[in-house]
Amino acid sequence: MLGAHSNSTLRGDYARARPDYTVDQDMAAYSDTDRRVWRQLMRRQCAIVRGAACDAFVRGIDLLQAPPEIPELARVSDFIAARTGWRLVAVPGFIPDAVFFAHLAARRFPVSVWVRRPDEIDYLVEPDLFHDFFGHVPMLLHPVFADYLAAYGAKGAQAEALGALPRLARLYWYMVEFGLIDTPAGLRAYGAGMLSSKAETLYSLDSPQPHRIWFDLARVMRTDYMIDSFQKTYFVLPDFEHLYAVMHDDFAPLYRRLADTPDIDPATRAPGDRVYAPHASPRHAADL
Ligand code: HBI
Ligand code: FE
């Protein structure tokens, strides 16, 4: 989950971070409260994902064995690296964009080492260990999504050089943090930001309120977002191959074309939007 990290004080201990912002995960540093919060979150979120998350996400959680205790990132890294080449690197929290992109391009996923407080069980601004591990790591085990995220990271340097980081960040926000995917069984969630929150997962799938629009790269890059409320617009993938396919294009011409087109308010629809129409029977409470 991405917060307004530019001006809020960051939670983590950055004093011990290396130049690439990685730190060592000290398993002995977790308190009994941390361990209790982890167990509570893992139990609650696992109860939600079946029937709400796409098969790829559920398979990822199953492969990770939905660790009931705080996981040792180095050990999980070996398991993931053997499947998709991705490794996990421990970080104190938010890290500068350029460093973040460089890690993704090298198939290193930054995972915050600290665990949220009990009073933050339902919402927190910065990504903690649970958000990063439960929300993001399962999809690193999906070969196509894993390739997409590495290709996404590789776009960071050019975006920074062209002053287009905010546009590239929108692609992460909408298609990594809050992505939806259409399946034969109906609409399913795969985004880390929604799947680490029961309320937003249900809202993203069932509420009549938000706009749900078929994925379109330029439309995503034009769409603003708020960090502290449920999304007003979600984008829907037909499959992960569509998301990976757009990464082969050079984004520079797109950034130039978008430079003089206005942003789109997520509360509104735009001309040309291809609206997603639900096609399967609505999910039932029993599915959850
Ligand atoms: N740092 N640790 C961490 N986790 C993130 O998700 C993250 C970040 N830095 C920047 C960032 N996300 C966003 O600006 C991305 O869109 C680049
Ligand atoms: Fe996140």
mmCIF file of all heavy atoms in Angstrom, residues 49-89:
data_model
loop_
_atom_site.group_PDB
_atom_site.id
_atom_site.type_symbol
_atom_site.label_atom_id
_atom_site.label_comp_id
_atom_site.label_asym_id
_atom_site.label_seq_id
_atom_site.Cartn_x
_atom_site.Cartn_y
_atom_site.Cartn_z
ATOM 1 N N VAL A 49 -9.896 -14.685 1.402
ATOM 2 C CA VAL A 49 -9.395 -14.786 0.029
ATOM 3 C C VAL A 49 -10.124 -15.826 -0.805
ATOM 4 O O VAL A 49 -10.332 -15.639 -1.991
ATOM 5 C CB VAL A 49 -7.870 -15.047 -0.032
ATOM 6 C CG1 VAL A 49 -7.118 -13.817 0.447
ATOM 7 C CG2 VAL A 49 -7.479 -16.283 0.732
ATOM 8 N N ARG A 50 -10.564 -16.917 -0.176
ATOM 9 C CA ARG A 50 -11.228 -17.932 -1.005
ATOM 10 C C ARG A 50 -12.581 -17.397 -1.443
ATOM 11 O O ARG A 50 -13.379 -16.995 -0.628
ATOM 12 C CB ARG A 50 -11.383 -19.241 -0.210
ATOM 13 C CG ARG A 50 -10.034 -19.796 0.183
ATOM 14 C CD ARG A 50 -10.030 -21.171 0.820
ATOM 15 N NE ARG A 50 -8.711 -21.408 1.424
ATOM 16 C CZ ARG A 50 -7.597 -21.595 0.723
ATOM 17 N NH1 ARG A 50 -7.656 -21.584 -0.597
ATOM 18 N NH2 ARG A 50 -6.425 -21.761 1.319
ATOM 19 N N GLY A 51 -12.822 -17.319 -2.722
ATOM 20 C CA GLY A 51 -14.082 -16.767 -3.221
ATOM 21 C C GLY A 51 -13.956 -15.301 -3.560
ATOM 22 O O GLY A 51 -14.777 -14.735 -4.255
ATOM 23 N N ALA A 52 -12.874 -14.654 -3.074
ATOM 24 C CA ALA A 52 -12.702 -13.223 -3.384
ATOM 25 C C ALA A 52 -11.439 -12.989 -4.209
ATOM 26 O O ALA A 52 -11.425 -12.158 -5.109
ATOM 27 C CB ALA A 52 -12.614 -12.420 -2.091
ATOM 28 N N ALA A 53 -10.381 -13.734 -3.901
ATOM 29 C CA ALA A 53 -9.123 -13.559 -4.634
ATOM 30 C C ALA A 53 -9.090 -14.531 -5.815
ATOM 31 O O ALA A 53 -9.734 -15.580 -5.783
ATOM 32 C CB ALA A 53 -7.941 -13.828 -3.709
ATOM 33 N N CYS A 54 -8.328 -14.147 -6.849
ATOM 34 C CA CYS A 54 -8.228 -15.018 -8.034
ATOM 35 C C CYS A 54 -7.441 -16.282 -7.670
ATOM 36 O O CYS A 54 -6.719 -16.323 -6.671
ATOM 37 C CB CYS A 54 -7.553 -14.264 -9.174
ATOM 38 S SG CYS A 54 -5.837 -13.863 -8.863
ATOM 39 N N ASP A 55 -7.567 -17.291 -8.504
ATOM 40 C CA ASP A 55 -6.899 -18.584 -8.229
ATOM 41 C C ASP A 55 -5.392 -18.414 -8.049
ATOM 42 O O ASP A 55 -4.774 -19.051 -7.202
ATOM 43 C CB ASP A 55 -7.159 -19.572 -9.385
ATOM 44 C CG ASP A 55 -8.624 -20.023 -9.406
ATOM 45 O OD1 ASP A 55 -9.326 -19.778 -8.388
ATOM 46 O OD2 ASP A 55 -9.059 -20.589 -10.424
ATOM 47 N N ALA A 56 -4.784 -17.545 -8.880
ATOM 48 C CA ALA A 56 -3.322 -17.372 -8.802
ATOM 49 C C ALA A 56 -2.909 -16.902 -7.420
ATOM 50 O O ALA A 56 -1.912 -17.367 -6.858
ATOM 51 C CB ALA A 56 -2.860 -16.363 -9.853
ATOM 52 N N PHE A 57 -3.703 -15.993 -6.856
ATOM 53 C CA PHE A 57 -3.365 -15.475 -5.521
ATOM 54 C C PHE A 57 -3.530 -16.580 -4.481
ATOM 55 O O PHE A 57 -2.648 -16.806 -3.646
ATOM 56 C CB PHE A 57 -4.240 -14.270 -5.166
ATOM 57 C CG PHE A 57 -3.843 -13.597 -3.875
ATOM 58 C CD1 PHE A 57 -2.958 -12.529 -3.870
ATOM 59 C CD2 PHE A 57 -4.332 -14.055 -2.663
ATOM 60 C CE1 PHE A 57 -2.569 -11.922 -2.681
ATOM 61 C CE2 PHE A 57 -3.941 -13.470 -1.460
ATOM 62 C CZ PHE A 57 -3.056 -12.402 -1.476
ATOM 63 N N VAL A 58 -4.657 -17.276 -4.536
ATOM 64 C CA VAL A 58 -4.922 -18.353 -3.563
ATOM 65 C C VAL A 58 -3.841 -19.426 -3.669
ATOM 66 O O VAL A 58 -3.322 -19.905 -2.658
ATOM 67 C CB VAL A 58 -6.330 -18.955 -3.790
ATOM 68 C CG1 VAL A 58 -6.555 -20.157 -2.881
ATOM 69 C CG2 VAL A 58 -7.405 -17.900 -3.552
ATOM 70 N N ARG A 59 -3.440 -19.746 -4.897
ATOM 71 C CA ARG A 59 -2.384 -20.756 -5.074
ATOM 72 C C ARG A 59 -1.082 -20.255 -4.451
ATOM 73 O O ARG A 59 -0.370 -21.003 -3.788
ATOM 74 C CB ARG A 59 -2.165 -21.047 -6.570
ATOM 75 C CG ARG A 59 -1.306 -22.288 -6.828
ATOM 76 C CD ARG A 59 -1.203 -22.655 -8.302
ATOM 77 N NE ARG A 59 -2.510 -22.649 -8.949
ATOM 78 C CZ ARG A 59 -2.820 -21.794 -9.956
ATOM 79 N NH1 ARG A 59 -1.906 -20.921 -10.380
ATOM 80 N NH2 ARG A 59 -4.009 -21.813 -10.523
ATOM 81 N N GLY A 60 -0.828 -18.946 -4.613
ATOM 82 C CA GLY A 60 0.402 -18.378 -4.027
ATOM 83 C C GLY A 60 0.394 -18.493 -2.513
ATOM 84 O O GLY A 60 1.383 -18.917 -1.900
ATOM 85 N N ILE A 61 -0.740 -18.157 -1.916
ATOM 86 C CA ILE A 61 -0.854 -18.257 -0.448
ATOM 87 C C ILE A 61 -0.678 -19.705 -0.011
ATOM 88 O O ILE A 61 0.032 -20.004 0.964
ATOM 89 C CB ILE A 61 -2.234 -17.723 0.021
ATOM 90 C CG1 ILE A 61 -2.220 -16.196 -0.011
ATOM 91 C CG2 ILE A 61 -2.580 -18.200 1.420
ATOM 92 C CD1 ILE A 61 -1.423 -15.548 1.114
ATOM 93 N N ASP A 62 -1.276 -20.622 -0.760
ATOM 94 C CA ASP A 62 -1.151 -22.055 -0.426
ATOM 95 C C ASP A 62 0.305 -22.508 -0.551
ATOM 96 O O ASP A 62 0.830 -23.207 0.315
ATOM 97 C CB ASP A 62 -2.043 -22.903 -1.336
ATOM 98 C CG ASP A 62 -3.533 -22.709 -0.996
ATOM 99 O OD1 ASP A 62 -3.830 -22.173 0.103
ATOM 100 O OD2 ASP A 62 -4.382 -23.062 -1.837
ATOM 101 N N LEU A 63 0.979 -22.076 -1.611
ATOM 102 C CA LEU A 63 2.397 -22.472 -1.796
ATOM 103 C C LEU A 63 3.261 -21.930 -0.654
ATOM 104 O O LEU A 63 4.226 -22.557 -0.232
ATOM 105 C CB LEU A 63 2.922 -21.938 -3.136
ATOM 106 C CG LEU A 63 2.464 -22.688 -4.392
ATOM 107 C CD1 LEU A 63 2.847 -21.915 -5.651
ATOM 108 C CD2 LEU A 63 3.097 -24.088 -4.423
ATOM 109 N N LEU A 64 2.893 -20.732 -0.163
ATOM 110 C CA LEU A 64 3.659 -20.141 0.944
ATOM 111 C C LEU A 64 3.257 -20.747 2.278
ATOM 112 O O LEU A 64 3.831 -20.426 3.313
ATOM 113 C CB LEU A 64 3.426 -18.622 0.973
ATOM 114 C CG LEU A 64 3.991 -17.835 -0.211
ATOM 115 C CD1 LEU A 64 3.384 -16.443 -0.266
ATOM 116 C CD2 LEU A 64 5.517 -17.769 -0.145
ATOM 117 N N GLN A 65 2.200 -21.595 2.221
ATOM 118 C CA GLN A 65 1.648 -22.226 3.422
ATOM 119 C C GLN A 65 1.148 -21.200 4.441
ATOM 120 O O GLN A 65 1.198 -21.433 5.652
ATOM 121 C CB GLN A 65 2.703 -23.156 4.051
ATOM 122 C CG GLN A 65 3.085 -24.278 3.084
ATOM 123 C CD GLN A 65 4.161 -25.208 3.633
ATOM 124 O OE1 GLN A 65 4.989 -24.820 4.443
ATOM 125 N NE2 GLN A 65 4.115 -26.457 3.190
ATOM 126 N N ALA A 66 0.687 -20.054 3.921
ATOM 127 C CA ALA A 66 0.033 -19.043 4.757
ATOM 128 C C ALA A 66 0.638 -19.032 6.165
ATOM 129 O O ALA A 66 -0.032 -19.378 7.152
ATOM 130 C CB ALA A 66 -1.466 -19.313 4.830
ATOM 131 N N PRO A 67 1.924 -18.659 6.290
ATOM 132 C CA PRO A 67 2.640 -18.846 7.560
ATOM 133 C C PRO A 67 1.893 -18.267 8.765
ATOM 134 O O PRO A 67 1.618 -17.074 8.794
ATOM 135 C CB PRO A 67 3.974 -18.140 7.344
ATOM 136 C CG PRO A 67 3.815 -17.298 6.134
ATOM 137 C CD PRO A 67 2.723 -17.886 5.318
ATOM 138 N N PRO A 68 1.539 -19.145 9.711
ATOM 139 C CA PRO A 68 0.833 -18.667 10.913
ATOM 140 C C PRO A 68 1.746 -17.863 11.835
ATOM 141 O O PRO A 68 1.288 -17.108 12.665
ATOM 142 C CB PRO A 68 0.354 -19.951 11.593
ATOM 143 C CG PRO A 68 1.217 -21.030 11.060
ATOM 144 C CD PRO A 68 1.687 -20.603 9.700
ATOM 145 N N GLU A 69 3.072 -18.046 11.646
ATOM 146 C CA GLU A 69 4.015 -17.257 12.447
ATOM 147 C C GLU A 69 4.792 -16.328 11.517
ATOM 148 O O GLU A 69 4.878 -16.580 10.306
ATOM 149 C CB GLU A 69 4.995 -18.178 13.188
ATOM 150 C CG GLU A 69 4.321 -19.106 14.206
ATOM 151 C CD GLU A 69 3.538 -18.336 15.285
ATOM 152 O OE1 GLU A 69 3.904 -17.165 15.587
ATOM 153 O OE2 GLU A 69 2.537 -18.879 15.775
ATOM 154 N N ILE A 70 5.366 -15.292 12.048
ATOM 155 C CA ILE A 70 6.129 -14.321 11.246
ATOM 156 C C ILE A 70 7.218 -15.062 10.465
ATOM 157 O O ILE A 70 8.021 -15.781 11.062
ATOM 158 C CB ILE A 70 6.740 -13.239 12.164
ATOM 159 C CG1 ILE A 70 5.600 -12.378 12.744
ATOM 160 C CG2 ILE A 70 7.763 -12.389 11.419
ATOM 161 C CD1 ILE A 70 6.045 -11.356 13.769
ATOM 162 N N PRO A 71 7.212 -14.941 9.146
ATOM 163 C CA PRO A 71 8.148 -15.718 8.323
ATOM 164 C C PRO A 71 9.561 -15.129 8.283
ATOM 165 O O PRO A 71 9.734 -13.915 8.414
ATOM 166 C CB PRO A 71 7.515 -15.645 6.930
ATOM 167 C CG PRO A 71 6.781 -14.357 6.925
ATOM 168 C CD PRO A 71 6.289 -14.120 8.327
ATOM 169 N N GLU A 72 10.509 -16.029 8.079
ATOM 170 C CA GLU A 72 11.903 -15.608 7.891
ATOM 171 C C GLU A 72 12.082 -15.334 6.389
ATOM 172 O O GLU A 72 11.985 -16.257 5.577
ATOM 173 C CB GLU A 72 12.843 -16.727 8.341
ATOM 174 C CG GLU A 72 14.156 -16.225 8.869
ATOM 175 C CD GLU A 72 14.942 -17.324 9.585
ATOM 176 O OE1 GLU A 72 14.313 -18.222 10.202
ATOM 177 O OE2 GLU A 72 16.166 -17.283 9.477
ATOM 178 N N LEU A 73 12.278 -14.077 6.016
ATOM 179 C CA LEU A 73 12.262 -13.685 4.608
ATOM 180 C C LEU A 73 13.345 -14.397 3.800
ATOM 181 O O LEU A 73 13.108 -14.774 2.646
ATOM 182 C CB LEU A 73 12.424 -12.161 4.497
ATOM 183 C CG LEU A 73 11.304 -11.345 5.145
ATOM 184 C CD1 LEU A 73 11.564 -9.849 4.998
ATOM 185 C CD2 LEU A 73 9.942 -11.713 4.565
ATOM 186 N N ALA A 74 14.505 -14.616 4.381
ATOM 187 C CA ALA A 74 15.598 -15.258 3.622
ATOM 188 C C ALA A 74 15.196 -16.673 3.215
ATOM 189 O O ALA A 74 15.456 -17.110 2.085
ATOM 190 C CB ALA A 74 16.861 -15.276 4.462
ATOM 191 N N ARG A 75 14.507 -17.353 4.101
ATOM 192 C CA ARG A 75 14.101 -18.742 3.812
ATOM 193 C C ARG A 75 13.027 -18.751 2.725
ATOM 194 O O ARG A 75 13.111 -19.518 1.755
ATOM 195 C CB ARG A 75 13.565 -19.382 5.098
ATOM 196 C CG ARG A 75 13.372 -20.898 5.031
ATOM 197 C CD ARG A 75 12.560 -21.389 6.205
ATOM 198 N NE ARG A 75 13.177 -21.015 7.492
ATOM 199 C CZ ARG A 75 14.070 -21.809 8.099
ATOM 200 N NH1 ARG A 75 14.425 -22.951 7.560
ATOM 201 N NH2 ARG A 75 14.593 -21.441 9.248
ATOM 202 N N VAL A 76 12.064 -17.845 2.825
ATOM 203 C CA VAL A 76 11.005 -17.790 1.808
ATOM 204 C C VAL A 76 11.604 -17.384 0.462
ATOM 205 O O VAL A 76 11.190 -17.857 -0.603
ATOM 206 C CB VAL A 76 9.897 -16.796 2.232
ATOM 207 C CG1 VAL A 76 8.812 -16.723 1.174
ATOM 208 C CG2 VAL A 76 9.307 -17.193 3.570
ATOM 209 N N SER A 77 12.608 -16.531 0.501
ATOM 210 C CA SER A 77 13.280 -16.080 -0.722
ATOM 211 C C SER A 77 13.780 -17.248 -1.553
ATOM 212 O O SER A 77 13.580 -17.309 -2.762
ATOM 213 C CB SER A 77 14.512 -15.238 -0.344
ATOM 214 O OG SER A 77 14.261 -13.897 -0.551
ATOM 215 N N ASP A 78 14.411 -18.194 -0.892
ATOM 216 C CA ASP A 78 14.971 -19.348 -1.609
ATOM 217 C C ASP A 78 13.851 -20.086 -2.344
ATOM 218 O O ASP A 78 13.991 -20.472 -3.504
ATOM 219 C CB ASP A 78 15.671 -20.298 -0.633
ATOM 220 C CG ASP A 78 16.907 -19.646 0.001
ATOM 221 O OD1 ASP A 78 17.423 -18.676 -0.602
ATOM 222 O OD2 ASP A 78 17.320 -20.086 1.094
ATOM 223 N N PHE A 79 12.713 -20.209 -1.677
ATOM 224 C CA PHE A 79 11.578 -20.927 -2.264
ATOM 225 C C PHE A 79 11.062 -20.194 -3.500
ATOM 226 O O PHE A 79 10.823 -20.779 -4.551
ATOM 227 C CB PHE A 79 10.460 -21.048 -1.216
ATOM 228 C CG PHE A 79 9.197 -21.673 -1.729
ATOM 229 C CD1 PHE A 79 9.106 -23.047 -1.937
ATOM 230 C CD2 PHE A 79 8.085 -20.890 -2.056
ATOM 231 C CE1 PHE A 79 7.944 -23.633 -2.433
ATOM 232 C CE2 PHE A 79 6.916 -21.465 -2.555
ATOM 233 C CZ PHE A 79 6.849 -22.839 -2.736
ATOM 234 N N ILE A 80 10.935 -18.870 -3.389
ATOM 235 C CA ILE A 80 10.392 -18.079 -4.509
ATOM 236 C C ILE A 80 11.407 -18.025 -5.660
ATOM 237 O O ILE A 80 11.054 -18.191 -6.832
ATOM 238 C CB ILE A 80 10.052 -16.653 -4.042
ATOM 239 C CG1 ILE A 80 8.997 -16.691 -2.933
ATOM 240 C CG2 ILE A 80 9.549 -15.793 -5.201
ATOM 241 C CD1 ILE A 80 8.780 -15.367 -2.231
ATOM 242 N N ALA A 81 12.672 -17.835 -5.295
ATOM 243 C CA ALA A 81 13.714 -17.707 -6.340
ATOM 244 C C ALA A 81 13.747 -18.948 -7.221
ATOM 245 O O ALA A 81 13.900 -18.856 -8.435
ATOM 246 C CB ALA A 81 15.070 -17.468 -5.693
ATOM 247 N N ALA A 82 13.512 -20.107 -6.605
ATOM 248 C CA ALA A 82 13.556 -21.358 -7.386
ATOM 249 C C ALA A 82 12.409 -21.402 -8.395
ATOM 250 O O ALA A 82 12.470 -22.103 -9.397
ATOM 251 C CB ALA A 82 13.462 -22.543 -6.433
ATOM 252 N N ARG A 83 11.347 -20.625 -8.148
ATOM 253 C CA ARG A 83 10.186 -20.713 -9.049
ATOM 254 C C ARG A 83 10.159 -19.588 -10.077
ATOM 255 O O ARG A 83 9.935 -19.800 -11.257
ATOM 256 C CB ARG A 83 8.901 -20.684 -8.228
ATOM 257 C CG ARG A 83 8.759 -21.879 -7.289
ATOM 258 C CD ARG A 83 7.490 -21.745 -6.452
ATOM 259 N NE ARG A 83 6.333 -22.059 -7.278
ATOM 260 C CZ ARG A 83 5.851 -23.287 -7.404
ATOM 261 N NH1 ARG A 83 6.424 -24.287 -6.798
ATOM 262 N NH2 ARG A 83 4.786 -23.516 -8.154
ATOM 263 N N THR A 84 10.379 -18.337 -9.628
ATOM 264 C CA THR A 84 10.251 -17.229 -10.602
ATOM 265 C C THR A 84 11.458 -16.298 -10.601
ATOM 266 O O THR A 84 11.433 -15.251 -11.245
ATOM 267 C CB THR A 84 9.007 -16.372 -10.286
ATOM 268 O OG1 THR A 84 9.169 -15.848 -8.961
ATOM 269 C CG2 THR A 84 7.723 -17.177 -10.412
ATOM 270 N N GLY A 85 12.486 -16.659 -9.830
ATOM 271 C CA GLY A 85 13.698 -15.834 -9.821
ATOM 272 C C GLY A 85 13.608 -14.636 -8.904
ATOM 273 O O GLY A 85 14.570 -13.883 -8.750
ATOM 274 N N TRP A 86 12.463 -14.418 -8.274
ATOM 275 C CA TRP A 86 12.313 -13.298 -7.345
ATOM 276 C C TRP A 86 12.871 -13.637 -5.964
ATOM 277 O O TRP A 86 12.791 -14.785 -5.524
ATOM 278 C CB TRP A 86 10.835 -12.897 -7.203
ATOM 279 C CG TRP A 86 10.381 -11.959 -8.281
ATOM 280 C CD1 TRP A 86 9.925 -12.310 -9.528
ATOM 281 C CD2 TRP A 86 10.352 -10.534 -8.228
ATOM 282 N NE1 TRP A 86 9.608 -11.183 -10.258
ATOM 283 C CE2 TRP A 86 9.853 -10.075 -9.484
ATOM 284 C CE3 TRP A 86 10.686 -9.582 -7.261
ATOM 285 C CZ2 TRP A 86 9.685 -8.725 -9.775
ATOM 286 C CZ3 TRP A 86 10.513 -8.232 -7.545
ATOM 287 C CH2 TRP A 86 10.028 -7.817 -8.787
ATOM 288 N N ARG A 87 13.455 -12.628 -5.326
ATOM 289 C CA ARG A 87 13.888 -12.777 -3.935
ATOM 290 C C ARG A 87 13.214 -11.674 -3.116
ATOM 291 O O ARG A 87 12.733 -10.683 -3.669
ATOM 292 C CB ARG A 87 15.415 -12.658 -3.812
ATOM 293 C CG ARG A 87 16.199 -13.716 -4.575
ATOM 294 C CD ARG A 87 17.650 -13.778 -4.128
ATOM 295 N NE ARG A 87 17.747 -14.201 -2.721
ATOM 296 C CZ ARG A 87 17.631 -15.469 -2.340
ATOM 297 N NH1 ARG A 87 17.379 -16.422 -3.234
ATOM 298 N NH2 ARG A 87 17.722 -15.795 -1.073
ATOM 299 N N LEU A 88 13.164 -11.847 -1.815
ATOM 300 C CA LEU A 88 12.626 -10.827 -0.906
ATOM 301 C C LEU A 88 13.799 -10.140 -0.228
ATOM 302 O O LEU A 88 14.745 -10.803 0.191
ATOM 303 C CB LEU A 88 11.711 -11.466 0.144
ATOM 304 C CG LEU A 88 10.588 -12.369 -0.391
ATOM 305 C CD1 LEU A 88 9.750 -12.915 0.760
ATOM 306 C CD2 LEU A 88 9.713 -11.621 -1.382
ATOM 307 N N VAL A 89 13.746 -8.802 -0.149
ATOM 308 C CA VAL A 89 14.776 -8.088 0.616
ATOM 309 C C VAL A 89 14.082 -7.309 1.728
ATOM 310 O O VAL A 89 13.047 -6.674 1.508
ATOM 311 C CB VAL A 89 15.608 -7.134 -0.274
ATOM 312 C CG1 VAL A 89 16.567 -7.911 -1.172
ATOM 313 C CG2 VAL A 89 14.740 -6.203 -1.107
#
